[in-house]
Amino acid sequence: MNETLVKDQSAIDEVLSKLKLNGTNYGTAIGSDFFSSEETEILDSTSPVDGSSIAKVATTCEKDYHKVIDSAAKAYEDWKKVPAPKRGEVIRQFGNKLRDAKQELGTLVSFEMGKSLQEGLGEVQEMIDICDFAVGLSRQLYGSTMHSERPEHRMYDQYHPLGVVGVISAFNFPTAVWAWNAALALIAGDTIVWKPSEKAPLCGVASQKILAEALEENGYSGAISGLVTGDYKIGELMTADKRIPLVSATGSIRMGRIVGQAVAKRFGKSLLELGGNNAIILTPNADLELSLKTAVFGAIGTAGQRCTSTRRLIIHESIYDSVLEKLKKIYSKIKIGNPLDESNHMGPLIDTLAVDTYLSAIEQAKQQGGKMLVEGSRLNEEGMQSGCYVSPSIAEVKNEYEIVQNETFAPLLYVMKYSTLTEAIELQNGVVQGLSSAIMTSDMREAELFLSQQGSDCGIANVNVGTSGAEIGGAFGGEKETGGGRESGSDAWKLYMRRQTNTINYGLGTPLAQGIKFDL
């Protein structure tokens, strides 16, 4: 099937058919009910792979937005009463439906967003994995018990659902990040309303249909899951909406500031996953073959459009020149083209604006004193006429350059040298973002220092593992201007629930805490 997809556009229509995306009235949804009003505009989902129009998606007007939120709030009143393991059973079935649709949904992710087919399939696997995680979690959601200082008293804490959870996701992971939020929110007893990226709306439509099917087949209201589409204006409605106690937003630091302030203003909760400026420290004690493969995938995987993409490579001075020579040779062999062709390493950027931003960053790096070791350019060869293809770049820079301090969502890798590990860690931490980091070394002392309080200040710190490719079991998120949020594994589920402390007096007396006396 993959060879057919590379050669024949009609195979994409087959994928859409298997995902039940044959209609034209897609956009706003309450469960499996898709609808639009006269006020809505039409969004054209265009593939960066070949510039073709995949489908038309209706955006959500304000009237329809309120209809979705009202429905989700009403559905919450019943959904929160369903025992958590029963909610987990729905998620288990959702995961199985994703397994059945993995090839088609992964292909759609690849074609609409532009990442390689392997990465598209991997994204759907992430959705499946978080479903598996959530199913087990639905039989836990544990609190703690405490010993009371008062006789014949018992104390404990427990967790309750929040209500409607709003999810705003980005184009680079058009389905997985929503699934991280949806699976945990649903087993917690929340309902969800999702605004997928306007740059990959059809992935949102397909995922919504699959989840709604699982809900409705089990006799639950489809309104437990809603979909709203459009640009930042829909996001503004969500962040200002008091009916949404938690807004989970993935995007740029600039966007996060706006969302965080708007939600905090109404005393809501926000879960922010923002920009990354991730570095790998390459020590003289590193396995070079492993390290180079890790660094190159981190830099060009998803065409550098992951929040965990490797942006900076900090190399010890003793191996600096030899590493750069090896890197340049590897980059000369990178295959770029249709991401559905699995022989290619890198597909297109999301759109032509992203290409312009990338080329501008290269020029800024040069103007600020950087030296281009491999200079990327826009590609317009056969099969790459969409205007979204580029070749990757390597730039020798200083960490303090303004362009280096900012995240460029493209395959632009910055290299710099260091002399001591303390200096390398300072360079690694010397940016405002704090998402992912890595050190490549076989020296236990170097590894432990990097992981200590004197080491990486990021939410993710790896040894001999790259900056990208997080597993479901660990909490995902970053510090500083990356937002401080945590999604996915570990105890991230607590963010989707409210904590309540309970004290029970099973005696006949009324002792007060702190020994306070109050007699009548």
Side-chain angles (χ1 to χ4, degrees), residues 202-516:
L202 202 58
C203 286
V205 171
S207 301
Q208 167 71 14
K209 287 174 72 69
I210 296 170
L211 176 55
E213 189 175 86
L215 286 164
E216 293 165 5
E217 284 178 355
N218 283 272
Y220 298 113
S221 169
I224 291 168
S225 176
L227 188 78
V228 291
T229 54
D231 59 15
Y232 71 94
K233 295 176 184 176
I234 296 297
E236 288 178 344
L237 291 175
M238 295 177 77
T239 56
D241 199 328
K242 291 184 177 181
R243 294 168 296 179
I244 304 177
L246 171 66
V247 175
S248 175
T250 303
S252 67
I253 291 173
R254 183 190 66 82
M255 181 274 281
R257 283 200 179 96
I258 296 170
V259 171
Q261 291 174 17
V263 176
K265 187 176 181 180
R266 60 177 176 84
F267 293 100
K269 296 181 179 181
S270 59
L271 196 170
L272 302 175
E273 296 289 359
L274 310 176
N277 199 343
N278 318 294
I280 294 177
I281 297 173
L282 192 51
T283 77
N285 300 302
D287 180 318
L288 275 186
E289 183 178 353
L290 181 154
S291 300
L292 289 170
K293 185 175 182 180
T294 297
V296 172
F297 174 76
I300 71 163
T302 323
Q305 296 173 114
R306 293 184 178 211
C307 50
T308 55
S309 290
T310 303
R311 308 287 176 206
R312 297 173 296 142
L313 189 57
I314 304 169
I315 310 166
H316 191 267
E317 58 189 7
S318 66
I319 57 172
Y320 186 77
D321 292 336
S322 62
V323 167
L324 293 189
E325 286 304 310
K326 288 180 172 66
L327 263 180
K328 287 189 284 187
K329 287 180 181 178
I330 293 172
Y331 267 56
S332 69
K333 299 176 183 177
I334 297 297
K335 295 180 181 178
I336 304 163
N338 189 326
L340 296 173
D341 181 346
E342 295 188 69
S343 67
N344 290 323
H345 300 109
M346 195 176 97
L349 293 176
I350 185 63
D351 54 27
T352 55
L353 177 60
V355 174
D356 293 340
T357 301
Y358 171 53
L359 298 179
S360 174
I362 292 173
E363 291 305 312
Q364 290 178 63
K366 291 192 290 186
Q367 291 169 10
Q368 292 168 24
K371 176 183 177 183
M372 298 306 300
L373 305 179
V374 177
E375 184 165 351
S377 62
R378 191 190 307 264
L379 302 177
N380 194 32
E381 300 168 15
E382 184 179 354
M384 292 187 274
Q385 285 88 18
S386 67
C388 301
Y389 289 87
V390 297
S391 54
S393 298
I394 302 173
E396 187 176 40
V397 297
K398 292 184 178 179
N399 203 53
E400 60 266 27
Y401 291 171
E402 182 181 356
I403 188 62
V404 178
Q405 290 287 311
N406 291 288
E407 179 185 42
T408 298
F409 231 49
L412 175 52
L413 177 65
Y414 298 118
V415 295
M416 57 195 77
K417 68 174 68 171
Y418 76 94
S419 57
T420 68
L421 185 55
T422 299
E423 179 192 356
I425 291 172
E426 288 176 353
L427 289 170
Q428 138 69 38
N429 294 342
V431 293
V432 297
Q433 307 87 350
L435 179 52
S436 187
S437 58
I439 187 170
M440 310 303 286
T441 180
S442 57
D443 186 306
M444 182 188 72
R445 290 186 176 89
E446 290 181 333
E448 290 296 335
L449 178 63
F450 181 73
L451 298 177
S452 74
Q453 67 269 25
Q454 303 170 63
S456 169
D457 63 2
C458 294
I460 299 169
N462 299 327
V463 176
N464 295 329
V465 176
T467 59
S468 61
E471 295 181 31
I472 286 301
F476 180 89
E479 300 300 321
K480 300 191 291 188
E481 293 189 13
T482 297
R486 292 297 185 274
E487 292 175 317
S488 190
S490 187
D491 63 350
W493 62 270
K494 293 179 179 179
L495 295 170
Y496 303 88
M497 306 190 79
R498 59 181 177 87
R499 182 196 296 256
Q500 183 182 79
T501 301
N502 306 114
T503 306
I504 299 171
N505 179 359
Y506 58 89
L508 298 177
T510 57
L512 299 175
Q514 294 85 48
I516 295 173

Side-chain angles (χ1 to χ4, degrees), residues 145-179:
T145 59
M146 289 78 73
H147 289 280
S148 174
E149 68 181 68
R150 291 169 283 183
E152 299 182 314
H153 280 60
R154 181 167 65 88
M155 295 177 63
Y156 67 95
D157 61 24
Q158 62 178 325
Y159 290 83
H160 297 297
L162 282 175
V164 181
V165 171
V167 180
I168 301 172
S169 64
F171 74 85
N172 59 331
F173 280 87
T175 61
V177 172
W178 164 75

